[in-house]
Amino acid sequence: MKNYNEIANDLFERRDKCITEQKARRKTITRLTTSICSFVLVALLGIGVWQSGWHNPVTPPNTDDPAISGDSQTSNTDKTVGITPDAPIIWGESNGEIQDMGYTTWNGKTITLPLQEVLSDEKNKNRLIAIGVGFELDNEFVYNGRSIAEYDAEANREDSVLNGMGLLLKTGDELKYGEALYKTGTPDGKKWAKQLYDETVEQIGKDVLAKYIVNGEFLKEQLESDIANYTAHIISRENWDKAIEAYYDYIASETCKHLTEKGVNCEIRNGLTVYMTAEEFATLEIDNVLFYSLAIKDSEGMDMSSTPKDDVVTQY
């Protein structure tokens, strides 16, 4: 049987693996054509959430609606509104790697450097450019009766419980003595500073302590078993991911509808992609946008070899 250090290490390894997988999933579900998570971008750019009609709490009319489903995104991949099949379009090219994600400002818009390079090239003046739209995350968006902020708070609580359980596994044999641990010390002479005791108890949480330390007895085996079978933190974080995915599907779909009504060429392709010249883009106004990027045609595993090369102008 593993000792408590080995079990605790396994716990934290599983936690770190889960966090890594969640970050990878979020890069996909945000539907940003540059494959970068909007949360990281918020921190990097320091941009606050812009107020608009879409910023208020909303519920998607139907999350099973083909207009905002993943199936719709796949089926609409080559159905660009108002663009003839042989119209040359400038796309980004990733070669299987993430684009250079530096940022600059162009006509009041935050754009990526690859897009800025295309826009500033005079020979592209009258060419259509595939522009990806990255939206701000609206934490007040309601999915299945709960806001994204509420899903996040629940996931954070579950993470805290998991961390507390792991810490208790390492310290429970001493914490079972309660306040005597810093007042008089343990029978074998171990004594903690009161500050350390208080901080450790706070990190573990009173509920976790009360469950696994009963009448001065540390229920280590029960704790080990519960840790081995603990999945609440994964489930809660997956629910949070689903809510975020629903938001990005919804905002991209709704924005595309509004733009189409105004005669703007756009489609849902791993998020919202608009097709316009630099001059048209200069006057484009979309609410809740975090940044614009040069859309990548072969994102999400699309096979560039099946795309007629004379139909696509690629710039990096």
Side-chain angles (χ1 to χ4, degrees):
M1 179 178 292
K2 295 180 179 179
N3 61 39
Y4 72 90
N5 279 321
E6 291 173 328
I7 293 175
N9 289 335
D10 285 346
L11 165 69
F12 292 121
E13 285 178 6
R14 285 194 290 123
R15 179 201 62 187
D16 293 341
K17 181 180 179 181
C18 177
I19 291 173
T20 300
E21 291 174 348
Q22 288 163 358
K23 287 180 179 179
R25 281 201 306 272
R26 287 196 290 274
K27 286 181 180 179
T28 299
I29 66 176
T30 51
R31 309 299 193 198
L32 305 183
T33 55
T34 52
S35 300
I36 291 294
C37 182
S38 64
F39 309 115
V40 176
L41 294 174
V42 170
L44 291 175
L45 296 173
I47 299 175
V49 176
W50 298 344
Q51 301 295 325
S52 72
W54 279 322
H55 183 68
N56 297 324
V58 292
T59 302
N62 181 358
T63 54
D64 294 325
D65 188 339
I68 60 175
S69 69
D71 292 341
S72 173
Q73 292 172 358
T74 300
S75 61
N76 289 339
T77 296
D78 295 315
K79 297 178 181 178
T80 307
V81 179
I83 296 179
T84 58
D86 59 348
I89 301 172
I90 299 177
W91 294 89
E93 185 175 301
S94 68
N95 294 321
E97 298 179 357
I98 295 175
Q99 276 188 29
D100 176 7
M101 287 300 294
Y103 295 90
T104 187
T105 301
W106 185 85
N107 283 339
K109 300 175 176 65
T110 298
I111 64 173
T112 61
L113 292 181
L115 178 56
Q116 190 272 339
E117 182 180 349
V118 171
L119 293 170
S120 62
D121 192 334
E122 189 64 23
K123 72 180 182 182
N124 297 328
K125 182 176 180 180
N126 296 316
R127 291 179 174 177
L128 286 176
I129 305 168
I131 301 172
V133 184
F135 290 98
E136 290 273 10
L137 178 65
D138 182 2
N139 282 308
E140 298 307 312
F141 177 79
V142 175
Y143 173 71
N144 286 344
R146 301 173 66 187
S147 69
I148 290 176
E150 290 173 325
Y151 283 109
D152 188 27
E154 179 185 29
N156 288 334
R157 286 194 297 271
E158 295 298 343
D159 286 341
S160 295
V161 171
L162 179 64
N163 291 336
M165 292 167 70
L167 182 56
L168 179 59
L169 189 60
K170 288 187 173 184
T171 59
D173 284 322
E174 297 174 14
L175 284 174
K176 67 183 180 182
Y177 294 103
E179 294 182 351
L181 182 58
Y182 68 83
K183 290 182 176 179
T184 60
T186 66
D188 58 358
K190 293 181 180 179
K191 190 174 182 179
W192 286 20
K194 184 178 185 303
Q195 181 178 353
L196 174 60
Y197 175 86
D198 290 340
E199 290 175 351
T200 303
V201 168
E202 182 178 358
Q203 290 178 42
I204 293 174
K206 293 183 178 179
D207 290 341
V208 173
L209 282 170
K211 183 175 181 179
Y212 298 106
I213 296 181
V214 180
N215 297 325
E217 180 183 359
F218 176 36
L219 307 180
K220 181 185 293 187
E221 290 185 0
Q222 180 182 340
L223 177 57
E224 290 173 347
S225 175
D226 289 349
I227 286 175
N229 296 288
Y230 192 81
T231 59
H233 64 302
I234 297 175
I235 295 173
S236 61
R237 192 59 69 183
E238 287 177 344
N239 289 336
W240 178 59
D241 285 344
K242 290 177 183 178
I244 293 173
E245 181 176 9
Y247 168 71
Y248 282 118
D249 285 345
Y250 174 74
I251 195 67
S253 178
E254 289 298 298
T255 303
C256 191
K257 289 178 184 177
H258 287 294
L259 292 176
T260 300
E261 291 171 358
K262 296 178 181 180
V264 176
N265 294 322
C266 63
E267 69 169 335
I268 305 300
R269 177 193 288 268
N270 300 312
L272 175 62
T273 300
V274 297
Y275 303 89
M276 52 183 51
T277 63
E279 182 178 359
E280 292 170 335
F281 180 55
T283 60
L284 178 68
E285 294 183 4
I286 301 178
D287 291 333
N288 293 12
V289 173
L290 179 62
F291 70 99
Y292 296 92
S293 65
L294 183 60
I296 301 174
K297 189 173 181 61
D298 62 340
S299 61
E300 293 295 312
M302 293 178 62
D303 185 2
M304 284 293 288
S305 64
S306 65
T307 304
K309 297 300 181 182
D310 55 351
D311 285 354
V312 179
V313 179
T314 58
Q315 298 209 1
Y316 192 54

